Amino acid sequence: MAEQENKTFYVTTPIYYPSGKLHIGNTYTTVVADTVARYKRLKGYDVFFLTGSDEHGLKIEQKAEEQGIAPQEYVDKMAAGFKSLWETMNISYDKFIRTTDADHEKVIQDIFEYLLAKGDIYLGEYEGWYSVSDEEYFTESQLQEVYRDENGNVIGGVAPSGHEVERVKEESYFFKMSKYADRLMQYYEEHPDFIQPESRKTEMLNNFLKPGLEDLAVTRTSFKWGVPVRSNPKHVIYVWIDALPNYITALGYNKEDDSNFQKFWPADLHIVGKEIVRFHTIYWPILLMALDLPLPKQIFGHGWLLMKDGKMSKSKGNVVYPEMLVERYGLDAVRYYLMREVRFGSDGVFTPANFIDRINYDLANDLGNLLNRTISMINKYFNGVVGAYPGVVGDFDHDLEDTVRHGVAAYYDAMDHLQFSDALDEVWAIIARTNKYIDETEPWVLAKDEGNKEVLRSVMYHLADTLRIIAILIQPVMTETPRAMFEQLGLAPTTEALAFSAAEIGAYPNEAQVIKKGQPIFPRRDAEEEVAYITEQMQQSVKPKETEEKTMPWNPEDTILLTGDTPEIKIDDFDKVQLKVAEVKEAKPVEGADRLLQFRLDAGDNQDRQILSSIRKWYPDPEVLVGKKVIIAANLKPMKMRGELSQGMILSIENGDDVVVVTVPDALPNGSILG
């Protein structure tokens, strides 16, 4: 695990918009970045970790007005709240940038004037649809829904986010996005890992770049809370041109002391939520191209942490604030849950029951109980001291050591690929194997025979040593538990002792003495009581007015459409797929293929068609489908599978591990088109 000296790593979170209190979803992003930063430091990198707040814009001006205070006073209060939360979560950031910082504002003005002189920014007039909530302009074609009057004229609409838009007409400066579109697409092609997961890149190409980029309005004149254009102060610089360069201004770009910029740029990893991927993978790289600066090495657009009933919303009474969880269950329980429960890149769902289960089973039962049993047995059998590494003595020592070595290597690989839940899976596999090791070796039986003393000593040593390695590995995620484990194991939590280089078998010191009486590091909780407590706390976040709103009629705008990593498509794309009713005439296995079934179907064509489907596992007796009316994708290009022609696809539904073919009423004529 030796790393090159002076190797740097620059990781960032988004700068959060202070329009409200941050919840556990925002916290997830920041804990991810903190985990990366801590891991890289342990691997010997010189790390710079940036977070902050994005403090300008019309919405902030309106929020301050609602509270009867100046915008600066409002954002000062919100930024202090953000910093307090990050302190609670033990976030190890190196700098907290605010877009109201004077040095940031000056560089933004410099950037604007440079691009204006270069001809990449020009003065024009904007007329179109604007969403205050999104701080974004939209063309009519980009709106999710349009409102029309009785004459068919568009009078309003809804942005893709679900927020309503308003008609805006004002003088504006524009940034020539279109000038750099081809260059950006080429960059995507030449740097396949630039955007992760891969589905995000596909979405950017198909939905935005290939249809053609329009020039971007980058100033407003209808409000004042922003960075004024130096050469035309009635304009304030619009949010994305102000906000995105924080990643370079924080390092000292275009300042007298730009040593950090020279040292750390380009960024190794921008971590953002999927809702702002477009701005970070299109607007931001194009802006950097215009400034003749290197592009970040990777931008990772992760999924959302949702609730069972969709995105967190005060009106639904489903908002979870991390401070409440930390206060009751401890910091490391919260950090562990966030990194273990959600596969990075995908959406995850928070439920109080899952959270408590992680505490009770993973932390209290698996890890905590292993530590407690080990401390107790070492005290009982060897007065707290097990001595030097004995090597492989007992029948099960070799297998345990192999599990540890494999688990450590797999952990590093998962962490290097940002798969934090997989990395923790590897650590918990070591924990599970170590618990099994106790059952296999039966120390209480060995202790009855003095002739087994060295075997027993080896068992105790391997238990203590494995727990020491576990404590080292969990450090990026759990910031307090490793030191607590070291204390109970009788170890000094020095930088050297906790280094990844120390995660080698046999490094538990021979002079170490475990604590006389171990304490549970994660007390087991009453599941029913704790689920009720968390649920109650969530509901208490609802204000009286919001509680009343819960009884209001259903509003589809509140619905979060869960599509996983599948990019959204436009209605034009869907119209290309022809769905037809077809009757199954024959169904049988394909010879020599374990997964395929062969169907003969009447889909209203001049004669029957054939479709092959990989559903044999779920329909071992395919005859049950004969006579059923199914739905097929009829206009897929025919292809051959195992030498047999397949002319379409039969629609089915995945339900957990089960797959069910979609059927329709028998009364529907064969060949009927769904539309």
Side-chain angles (χ1 to χ4, degrees):
M1 291 303 297
E3 297 291 344
Q4 298 177 22
E5 291 185 8
N6 303 320
K7 199 166 186 179
T8 62
F9 194 88
Y10 181 29
V11 59
T12 72
T13 72
I15 50 174
Y16 298 104
Y17 203 56
S19 57
K21 185 177 179 181
L22 299 183
H23 52 61
I24 200 169
N26 312 118
T27 303
Y28 170 72
T29 308
T30 311
V31 171
V32 165
D34 186 62
T35 297
V36 172
R38 290 175 182 274
Y39 174 70
K40 291 296 182 180
R41 292 188 193 111
L42 284 163
K43 288 194 74 177
Y45 286 75
D46 186 354
V47 172
F48 196 95
F49 171 19
L50 176 70
T51 190
S53 53
D54 173 13
E55 300 183 354
H56 289 126
L58 176 58
K59 187 157 54 171
I60 298 300
E61 192 172 77
Q62 292 174 343
K63 286 278 185 180
E65 187 177 341
E66 288 171 9
Q67 296 185 19
I69 57 178
Q72 188 65 53
E73 183 181 352
Y74 173 83
V75 295
D76 286 348
K77 178 180 66 173
M78 296 301 293
F82 289 2
K83 288 183 177 181
S84 175
L85 174 58
W86 301 151
E87 184 178 353
T88 297
M89 298 303 301
N90 203 3
I91 303 299
S92 61
Y93 62 82
D94 295 286
K95 183 177 177 66
F96 186 100
I97 189 169
R98 301 175 58 187
T99 55
T100 53
D101 292 340
D103 57 347
H104 171 81
E105 291 189 347
K106 179 183 180 302
V107 176
I108 295 304
Q109 290 179 315
D110 293 342
I111 288 172
F112 191 93
E113 296 299 330
Y114 170 79
L115 295 176
L116 183 62
K118 188 180 179 182
D120 281 346
I121 287 180
Y122 61 92
L123 185 62
E125 184 175 75
Y126 180 82
E127 181 173 9
W129 301 102
Y130 181 73
S131 165
V132 174
S133 296
D134 298 307
E135 295 279 6
E136 187 177 356
Y137 295 101
F138 297 94
T139 63
E140 184 179 318
S141 63
Q142 291 174 324
L143 296 179
Q144 179 177 293
E145 181 184 356
V146 295
Y147 305 150
R148 300 181 185 275
D149 62 18
E150 62 274 11
N151 298 317
N153 300 313
V154 178
I155 57 173
V158 178
S161 63
H163 298 119
E164 292 204 355
V165 295
E166 58 186 43
R167 191 71 177 173
V168 171
K169 182 177 182 180
E170 60 181 318
E171 183 180 90
S172 179
Y173 284 93
F174 290 81
F175 178 44
K176 290 182 179 178
M177 300 279 289
S178 52
K179 174 181 174 181
Y180 295 92
D182 290 343
R183 182 174 161 187
L184 181 60
M185 285 193 282
Q186 182 180 349
Y187 190 88
Y188 282 7
E189 186 175 335
E190 294 171 353
H191 300 81
D193 293 330
F194 176 58
I195 305 174
Q196 291 295 318
E198 182 75 16
S199 59
R200 310 277 187 246
K201 179 171 71 176
T202 302
E203 181 183 1
M204 295 305 107
L205 284 167
N206 293 342
N207 291 3
F208 301 105
L209 286 169
K210 288 181 180 178
L213 282 179
E214 296 185 359
D215 291 347
L216 180 68
V218 293
T219 65
R220 299 292 305 273
T221 58
S222 56
F223 63 90
K224 295 300 180 186
W225 185 242
V227 180
V229 174
R230 190 178 294 140
S231 57
N232 192 354
K234 74 176 182 178
H235 287 260
V236 295
I237 298 169
Y238 175 57
V239 62
W240 294 111
I241 299 298
D242 170 19
L244 289 166
N246 88 90
Y247 302 123
I248 55 177
T249 64
L251 296 177
Y253 170 74
N254 208 39
K255 299 176 187 176
E256 187 174 339
D257 180 6
D258 68 349
S259 55
N260 275 337
F261 179 74
Q262 298 299 330
K263 181 178 181 180
F264 289 104
W265 191 259
D268 293 271
L269 180 63
H270 287 320
I271 297 174
V272 300
K274 64 182 180 181
E275 73 279 4
I276 53 174
V277 165
R278 171 158 54 110
F279 311 113
H280 284 81
T281 60
I282 297 179
Y283 297 3
W284 179 223
I286 284 178
L287 181 57
L288 288 167
M289 288 175 177
L291 294 171
D292 297 314
L293 293 176
L295 271 58
K297 296 175 186 176
Q298 188 172 87
I299 300 169
F300 201 113
H302 66 75
W304 289 334
L305 185 61
L306 303 166
M307 310 304 285
K308 271 189 172 179
D309 52 352
K311 205 170 181 182
M312 292 187 198
S313 164
K314 285 185 178 182
S315 63
K316 292 180 181 177
N318 68 357
V319 177
V320 179
Y321 293 115
E323 295 94 335
M324 174 269 292
L325 296 178
V326 171
E327 181 180 357
R328 189 169 180 92
Y329 306 104
L331 172 61
D332 279 0
V334 179
R335 288 180 61 110
Y336 171 78
Y337 175 83
L338 292 174
M339 294 297 97
R340 184 75 189 276
E341 187 71 17
V342 182
R343 182 173 177 81
F344 190 55
S346 303
D347 288 344
V349 177
F350 175 93
T351 69
N354 284 350
F355 177 71
I356 298 303
D357 281 350
R358 287 292 184 189
I359 293 175
N360 283 341
Y361 297 114
D362 297 9
L363 301 179
N365 282 11
D366 296 343
L367 177 58
N369 195 38
L370 174 61
L371 179 64
N372 290 344
R373 293 172 77 187
T374 298
I375 299 298
S376 176
M377 289 188 293
I378 293 175
N379 276 313
K380 181 176 181 179
Y381 303 136
F382 295 102
N383 294 317
V385 179
V386 294
Y389 173 55
V392 175
V393 177
D395 295 339
F396 303 99
D397 295 355
H398 186 272
D399 190 62
L400 175 63
E401 289 191 4
D402 276 354
T403 299
V404 172
R405 291 191 186 96
H406 171 80
V408 170
Y411 164 86
Y412 292 139
D413 183 67
M415 289 293 286
D416 287 339
H417 289 89
L418 305 180
Q419 291 306 320
F420 314 107
S421 59
D422 289 353
L424 289 170
D425 283 346
E426 296 297 341
V427 176
W428 256 254
I430 295 174
I431 293 170
R433 182 66 189 86
T434 311
N435 276 312
K436 182 182 177 184
Y437 175 76
I438 295 176
D439 297 334
E440 291 170 333
T441 57
E442 297 182 309
W444 49 91
V445 175
L446 293 173
K448 294 177 181 178
D449 186 343
E450 187 66 21
N452 292 327
K453 189 163 187 179
E454 291 311 306
V455 176
L456 179 61
R457 187 183 298 277
S458 177
V459 171
M460 293 301 106
Y461 185 94
H462 278 87
L463 290 175
D465 197 40
T466 303
L467 280 162
R468 179 189 61 83
I469 293 170
I470 290 166
I472 292 171
L473 297 181
I474 63 176
Q475 289 178 96
V477 174
M478 304 171 76
T479 65
E480 297 174 343
T481 303
R483 290 177 176 271
M485 291 175 66
F486 261 46
E487 179 184 348
Q488 297 204 30
L489 291 167
L491 304 174
T494 63
T495 302
E496 294 77 15
L498 285 165
F500 277 161
S501 58
E504 302 283 348
I505 291 170
Y508 183 77
N510 56 15
E511 73 280 2
Q513 181 166 359
V514 301
I515 197 169
K516 289 294 183 185
K517 183 171 176 58
Q519 297 295 324
I521 52 175
F522 292 102
R524 188 172 174 82
R525 305 281 181 157
D526 181 285
E528 188 175 338
E529 179 181 329
E530 298 306 327
V531 167
Y533 173 81
I534 296 172
T535 304
E536 181 185 2
Q537 294 299 309
M538 289 161 56
Q539 292 171 346
Q540 284 183 4
S541 68
V542 187
K543 298 174 184 176
K545 181 181 176 182
E546 292 165 335
T547 304
E548 292 169 11
E549 289 175 356
K550 289 177 68 177
T551 63
M552 291 174 64
W554 163 69
N555 182 357
E557 292 185 9
D558 291 336
T559 302
I560 301 298
L561 306 177
L562 301 181
T563 58
D565 287 337
T566 307
E568 291 182 347
I569 62 172
K570 296 181 179 179
I571 190 67
D572 293 345
D573 297 319
F574 183 75
D575 283 344
K576 295 175 184 175
V577 181
Q578 186 184 66
L579 300 178
K580 296 176 72 174
V581 174
E583 181 181 350
V584 179
K585 306 296 287 293
E586 293 179 5
K588 62 183 180 180
V590 175
E591 191 172 331
D594 294 335
R595 300 173 58 214
L596 290 176
L597 292 180
Q598 180 179 339
F599 290 88
R600 179 176 178 177
L601 303 120
D602 178 0
D605 305 306
N606 67 324
Q607 56 183 332
D608 295 342
R609 70 166 67 196
Q610 177 172 281
I611 291 179
L612 273 60
S613 181
S614 302
I615 59 172
R616 183 171 176 178
K617 173 182 175 182
W618 296 279
Y619 288 92
D621 178 14
E623 290 286 330
V624 299
L625 293 171
V626 173
K628 301 286 188 185
K629 298 284 184 84
V630 299
I631 299 174
I632 66 169
N635 62 332
L636 293 183
K637 185 177 180 180
M639 61 183 291
K640 284 206 170 182
M641 303 165 69
R642 291 296 183 104
E644 294 286 349
L645 186 66
S646 184
Q647 301 164 300
M649 181 177 70
I650 297 176
L651 269 60
S652 59
I653 296 173
E654 292 186 15
N655 181 21
D657 293 329
D658 199 14
V659 170
V660 179
V661 170
V662 176
T663 59
V664 296
D666 293 340
L668 290 177
N670 299 340
S672 301
I673 295 175
L674 280 71

